Amino acid sequence: MSNVELQFNPTEDQSFELEGKGRYNFVRHKERVDKLVAEGRYNEACEARYEAFQIIVDALPEDEAMPLHWEHPNSRAALSIIYGSAVDHFRIGDVEMAMAQLEMLLDCDPEDHFESINLLALCYIAMEEWEAYDDMVIDLTDKSAEAVVARLWASYQRDGEIDKTLLSLLKSRHKAYYAEIIAAEHPDDDTFRKDIASARPSQSAEAREWWLLTEPLWSEFPKFIEALK
């Protein structure tokens, strides 16, 4: 696929470098979004990111997966835009749109550099897409707190009770996440922001960041959080 401004160059690892000029220069799109975020213009940033996402949809072929080469700057910027827009939609409760975007992202980034499979699992559970969830549950590992929470929630939604083995795993291996879940408050304050922006953020800050991202979902499904307490 190619035109004056856009072409996909195949690589040795069976991925493609998305070379783009003009509207297909996704590095420039991402720089614009990042500037808006830095200026605190979050709504404008979300809109700009979604506009860029729509251009990516227009660029990609409809009838085949197009894995993009992570080391290529324009390709990586495009992947970042897809993920960021999915997160934007998840935050406002548009789970169906977030789900579609995350599925597209995994087609374009099979190595899942953003670990987006964990967020996609929450989308599948919320939408009761159990067949899709069952197909991917093997990839939800014990090493990821987010994956453990997703599996816990899935079992609760299906069986009406908490899986004690998974709960024990969350408490023992991912203490910071469990502490964040049962906390009475989750302040998005300067202390947290400095921690999460540092070169090596604490586990507590990472858990707070995850909570702030997923909080809209738990507002819709509060019984699960209560059950975990």
Side-chain angles (χ1 to χ4, degrees):
M1 177 180 181
S2 65
N3 62 28
V4 175
E5 296 184 328
L6 170 71
Q7 62 182 11
F8 290 94
N9 298 325
T11 68
E12 294 181 353
D13 66 356
Q14 298 183 322
S15 64
F16 295 84
E17 295 179 345
L18 194 171
E19 290 286 358
K21 299 177 181 179
R23 70 196 298 260
Y24 300 110
N25 184 335
F26 296 110
V27 171
R28 186 169 296 171
H29 282 294
K30 185 176 182 299
E31 288 173 348
R32 180 190 173 209
V33 171
D34 291 345
K35 184 174 184 293
L36 289 169
V37 170
E39 294 172 353
R41 298 159 65 184
Y42 300 114
N43 289 340
E44 291 176 71
C46 291
E47 291 174 4
R49 189 152 40 210
Y50 185 62
E51 289 172 5
F53 166 75
Q54 290 176 308
I55 296 172
I56 297 170
V57 172
D58 177 62
L60 294 173
E62 296 181 4
D63 55 351
E64 60 180 308
M66 185 65 74
L68 300 179
H69 189 54
W70 177 256
E71 300 303 325
H72 181 251
N74 202 52
S75 302
R76 185 167 63 249
L79 294 172
S80 178
I81 288 166
I82 300 171
Y83 177 70
S85 188
V87 168
D88 291 339
H89 283 88
F90 190 90
R91 285 185 188 277
I92 63 172
D94 191 347
V95 176
E96 187 171 4
M97 183 62 182
M99 181 174 68
Q101 290 177 303
L102 292 168
E103 288 176 337
M104 174 181 167
L105 176 62
L106 284 172
D107 284 341
C108 294
D109 181 28
E111 294 183 14
D112 194 14
H113 290 87
F114 296 98
E115 297 184 359
S116 57
I117 193 171
N118 298 321
L119 192 59
L120 180 56
L122 296 181
C123 293
Y124 283 152
I125 299 165
M127 298 296 293
E128 297 186 351
E129 295 283 352
W130 294 117
E131 185 175 346
Y133 172 80
D134 289 338
D135 286 342
M136 58 111 81
V137 70
I138 191 172
D139 296 317
L140 300 178
T141 72
D142 291 353
K143 296 179 181 179
S144 166
E146 297 174 23
V148 173
V149 174
R151 288 160 57 199
L152 265 167
W153 187 34
S155 68
Y156 180 78
Q157 290 297 95
R158 283 173 147 173
D159 305 329
E161 57 185 29
I162 294 294
D163 183 310
K164 293 181 180 179
T165 300
L166 285 174
L167 180 59
S168 177
L169 177 66
L170 182 65
K171 288 180 175 181
S172 61
R173 187 175 295 189
H174 306 291
K175 295 178 181 178
Y177 276 75
Y178 182 69
E180 188 66 35
I181 289 170
I182 65 173
E185 297 180 348
H186 313 271
D188 184 2
D189 53 19
D190 288 342
T191 301
F192 159 70
R193 288 176 179 267
K194 289 178 182 178
D195 192 341
I196 200 63
S198 66
R200 300 185 67 179
S202 67
Q203 290 184 338
S204 295
E206 290 177 344
R208 176 75 48 81
E209 183 180 45
W210 169 84
W211 174 269
L212 293 173
L213 166 60
T214 59
E215 187 173 16
L217 189 66
W218 309 131
S219 296
E220 293 293 321
F221 298 93
K223 290 183 180 180
F224 169 62
I225 300 301
E226 289 300 317
L228 287 179
K229 297 178 181 180

